Amino acid sequence: MPFNSLAPQLSRLGPGLVLSIAATGLAFAIHAVFPAVPAMTLAVALGLLSANIPGTAVLTAGRARPGLDFAGKHLMRAGIVLLGLKVSMGDVLGLGWVALLLIAGVVLVSFAGTYGLARLLRLPREAALLIATGFSICGASAIGAMAAVRRIKHQDTVLPVALVTLCGTLAIGVLPLLMHPLGLSPAQFGAWTGASVHDVGQVVATAQTAGTSALAIAVIVKLTRVVLLAPIAATAGLHQRVLDVRERANGAAGTERSFPPIVPMFVVGFLALVAVRSLGWAPPVALEVAAAVQDILLATALFGLGSAVRMRTLIHTGGRAALVALGSWLLIASLGLGAALIMIR
């Protein structure tokens, strides 16, 4: 790109990107002091604060908005690609077919149940789809992928991302308190955490309270859910293609535009890096660096998304969505517990 074209882009995106990066640094600094609080949650919280404190609200809604939107959309996709390096198909298949079927069942039933509850409470189809995807698969990353294949507006992802992040944080505090009353072994608790908590970082924060054995199985079960992101995104993309073809056949206005890919390139990138990790082509140091970069990208993206949430709007429009989120959280926690008890006896 010529400099005379690049300079205006940097001028437009710079303020928001600098603000996002600074907030991400603050989130990780607070996380270093209080390790129990995930950096991703802190990034969303800082975004919410920046959007609702008078001194910064003008900046996040004005000059910084283009860069914040860029972070929320494009850096999120880059983070999804790097998420593939955390998934080893050998570890996933090592769980056994019974466990794989149980995990897939938890994802599908929680997806269908959340979507049904959302529609029952009259949420728009797009919001229902995004909330169901985020809660059943892998939080904000899954929401970003689903929004891309369904061509859902970037601003419509803000509320689902905030809800899935906050409910995942709730799990960090609640699930460890239930381990002993439910009589769970560390392995059962780890499987429960991996099957029911949304974001990978939240799974780690929750499972590590029960020790290394719980953490190991929690991460494998969670990454098995992450693998399902690709087929579900592809299915949603195929359905969107069918709708586009039908609209074009009916001569609907605006359907002359080209069809989007059924599987977006960033999901292809995710699958490619899953293959790289599974084949052992990535050295340990590269995996460590990629994991750190992925955390930074996702935290920066989550700050950008959080900075678009105005509390006044959230209060007026988010009540029913919050009920759906809590209902979904209870549903997937119950399903995950049942699956964990069957997997590990």
Side-chain angles (χ1 to χ4, degrees):
M1 180 182 292
F3 180 77
N4 59 355
S5 300
L6 182 61
Q9 280 288 89
L10 291 176
S11 177
R12 187 174 70 90
L13 300 178
L17 288 175
V18 169
L19 180 60
S20 296
I21 293 168
T24 298
L26 178 58
F28 278 100
I30 297 173
H31 171 68
V33 178
F34 303 102
V37 185
M40 305 302 159
T41 300
L42 289 166
V44 173
L46 289 172
L48 290 169
L49 286 173
S50 71
N52 294 281
I53 295 175
T56 56
V58 174
L59 177 62
T60 58
R63 189 180 174 203
R65 192 70 255 155
L68 294 170
D69 287 340
F70 179 91
K73 182 177 181 180
H74 296 287
L75 298 189
M76 174 66 74
R77 294 181 180 185
I80 293 171
V81 173
L82 289 179
L83 181 61
L85 284 176
K86 291 185 175 180
V87 182
S88 169
M89 291 306 298
D91 291 339
V92 170
L93 295 176
L95 290 174
W97 289 108
V98 172
L100 293 177
L101 290 173
L102 285 169
I103 295 167
V106 168
V107 169
L108 294 175
V109 174
S110 60
F111 182 95
T114 301
Y115 184 83
L117 177 60
R119 295 300 291 153
L120 184 65
L121 293 180
R122 299 181 181 178
L123 290 188
R125 291 184 186 277
E126 292 82 1
L129 183 62
L130 293 181
I131 292 173
T133 304
F135 275 78
S136 62
I137 305 177
C138 56
S141 301
I143 291 171
M146 182 60 73
V149 298
R150 298 293 297 201
R151 293 206 305 267
I152 296 173
K153 294 179 181 178
H154 169 69
Q155 57 264 34
D156 292 335
T157 68
V158 171
L159 180 58
V161 165
L163 291 173
V164 76
T165 304
L166 294 175
C167 284
T169 303
L170 181 63
I172 296 171
V174 173
L175 265 60
L177 298 178
L178 298 176
M179 177 179 171
H180 294 298
L182 292 174
L184 301 177
S185 68
Q188 288 173 328
F189 179 75
W192 181 30
T193 300
S196 58
V197 179
H198 315 307
D199 179 77
V200 176
Q202 294 164 343
V203 167
V204 172
T206 306
Q208 68 186 3
T209 61
T212 54
S213 62
L215 179 58
I217 192 168
V219 171
I220 295 173
V221 171
K222 173 59 192 174
L223 293 178
T224 303
R225 288 168 62 199
V226 171
V227 170
L228 295 174
L229 173 62
I232 287 179
T235 301
L238 182 60
H239 182 249
Q240 183 64 48
R241 175 68 61 86
V242 170
L243 294 178
D244 289 343
V245 170
R246 190 175 299 166
E247 288 180 358
R248 181 173 292 185
N250 293 333
T255 57
E256 60 278 355
R257 62 180 180 271
S258 61
F259 293 126
I262 292 174
V263 180
M265 285 307 300
F266 69 90
V267 176
V268 174
F270 164 81
L271 290 173
L273 291 191
V274 169
V276 168
R277 172 64 187 269
S278 301
L279 294 170
W281 292 348
V285 64
L287 296 177
E288 292 178 8
V289 171
V293 173
Q294 188 226 359
D295 287 344
I296 293 170
L297 289 171
L298 290 183
T300 306
L302 288 173
F303 175 82
L305 290 170
S307 69
V309 179
R310 301 296 183 269
M311 293 308 297
R312 183 179 302 174
T313 304
L314 186 62
I315 291 170
H316 287 300
T317 63
R320 284 175 296 165
L323 286 176
V324 172
L326 288 174
S328 178
W329 183 70
L330 291 172
L331 174 62
I332 195 169
S334 301
L335 293 170
L337 177 60
L341 293 175
I342 296 173
M343 277 190 281
I344 303 172
R345 303 191 180 195

